Amino acid sequence: MYAASREALAEARTVLTAELDAASDGTSAAAGAGSDLFGVVSVLDGQRPLRAALADASAASDARRALAGRLFDGKIGAAAAAALQAAVAQNWSSARDLTDSLVLLGREALLRAAQDQDQLGTVEDELFRLGRIIAGDPALEQALSDRSKPAEASGSLLSTLLYGKVTAITEALAVQAVGRLKGAAPASVFGELSALAATRRDKEVAHVRSSTELSDDQISRLTSRLEGIYGKSVTVHVEVDRELLSGLIVRVGDEVIDGSGTGRLASLRKSLR
């Protein structure tokens, strides 16, 4: 995302935050704003000329705001409407940046609602585990990624699978995400959502692949070590990968610490060449 779009996103985020801070029921307002912004994006994704018009930097900002008002006033809540008005008044590098940023604001609003309900950690964990489950089930991953079917079909399938098994916010985030994959793997998108939740908790995320199950004590000691290394709180997500032979691989952001048996074998092979 280029500088113009980053600045536009920051302005829309500031407006949305102020609206939610001022709401009498912040939790309900945040959840509603998230759902409303997802609804706006669904409309824009289906109408290319419309999203192009709302992001057209050559048109006057008042004209873009008026167009958004005619389309959505009375159909979405005050917080989402204010954020949308602020967004379309800005200059975006592309129409896609506008819609992607509205998605991000919707996600952030829902995560704020989860935080207000003391569910943010649960949502983070559910999204991570959902990504791992889908990554381990090729048939399900294919069904959710099938672009020959309407996007709504993937969302409906996932909603049916998740109903009653995860928090409402996790379900809303996940269903919206699979309906808008745009070529991305579902597991990677859920990983991004989980990381976004961790960021809101001001935590680093450590993705750990281990050759065996780790005990609670081992996870606790690993967490402490990583927090000492990175100087901030760390959330550790562990998945078992028997192909590692032994040890584990830890990924934090772009940094990878490979202490696995396969990693050591690979290093040995390189040294023998």
Side-chain angles (χ1 to χ4, degrees):
M1 189 180 290
Y2 291 105
S5 291
R6 290 198 299 270
E7 292 172 4
L9 170 59
E11 179 60 29
R13 180 183 283 123
T14 296
V15 170
L16 178 59
T17 299
E19 288 286 326
L20 296 179
D21 287 345
S24 57
D25 185 349
T27 302
S28 178
S35 296
D36 286 342
L37 288 170
F38 285 171
V40 169
V41 170
S42 181
V43 172
L44 298 184
D45 278 345
Q47 300 187 39
R48 182 176 181 180
L50 174 57
R51 64 178 182 268
L54 290 175
D56 185 2
S58 67
S61 61
D62 286 347
R64 300 197 300 269
R65 290 169 66 103
L67 174 59
R70 289 195 299 273
L71 290 168
F72 296 106
D73 280 358
K75 298 176 183 177
I76 59 178
L84 177 61
Q85 287 285 321
V88 299
Q90 308 305 309
N91 291 329
W92 297 87
S93 301
S94 69
R96 179 170 181 171
D97 282 353
L98 168 61
T99 52
D100 287 350
S101 293
L102 291 175
V103 169
L104 178 57
L105 291 176
R107 290 172 174 176
E108 291 175 350
L110 285 171
L111 291 173
R112 172 173 172 150
Q115 189 171 34
D116 289 346
Q117 298 174 57
D118 293 324
Q119 292 183 335
L120 191 54
T122 300
V123 170
E124 178 192 337
D125 187 63
E126 288 176 342
L127 288 166
F128 172 77
R129 293 186 184 281
L130 178 58
R132 293 303 90 210
I133 290 170
I134 292 173
D137 189 334
L140 177 57
E141 185 168 38
Q142 175 59 36
L144 293 175
S145 307
D146 189 350
R147 301 186 72 179
S148 68
K149 297 179 180 178
E152 295 79 6
S154 296
S156 179
L157 170 61
L158 188 60
S159 182
T160 299
L161 294 173
L162 295 181
Y163 181 74
K165 299 175 183 175
V166 297
T167 63
I169 289 174
T170 296
E171 182 178 344
L173 289 166
V175 168
Q176 191 276 335
V178 298
R180 201 173 185 270
L181 289 173
K182 297 187 179 300
S188 68
V189 173
F190 294 139
E192 291 171 5
L193 285 170
S194 179
L196 185 62
T199 299
R200 187 167 187 89
R201 299 171 68 202
D202 194 27
K203 287 178 173 285
E204 289 281 3
V205 179
H207 296 282
V208 179
R209 291 165 55 206
S210 174
S211 59
T212 61
E213 293 281 356
L214 297 183
S215 68
D216 290 343
D217 181 61
Q218 287 174 315
I219 293 173
S220 178
R221 285 189 282 117
L222 175 60
T223 301
S224 295
R225 289 283 300 278
L226 292 171
E227 289 177 342
I229 293 171
Y230 292 99
K232 66 185 302 184
S233 296
V234 175
T235 294
V236 174
H237 291 307
V238 181
E239 60 175 307
V240 176
D241 184 350
R242 307 293 183 189
E243 294 183 359
L244 295 182
L245 302 180
S246 65
L248 47 79
I249 297 174
V250 180
R251 178 171 60 82
V252 180
D254 294 329
E255 186 171 359
V256 177
I257 304 169
D258 191 343
S260 67
T262 53
R264 289 191 291 272
L265 285 173
S267 297
L268 179 60
R269 290 192 191 100
K270 286 182 180 180
S271 69
L272 294 174
R273 288 177 182 174

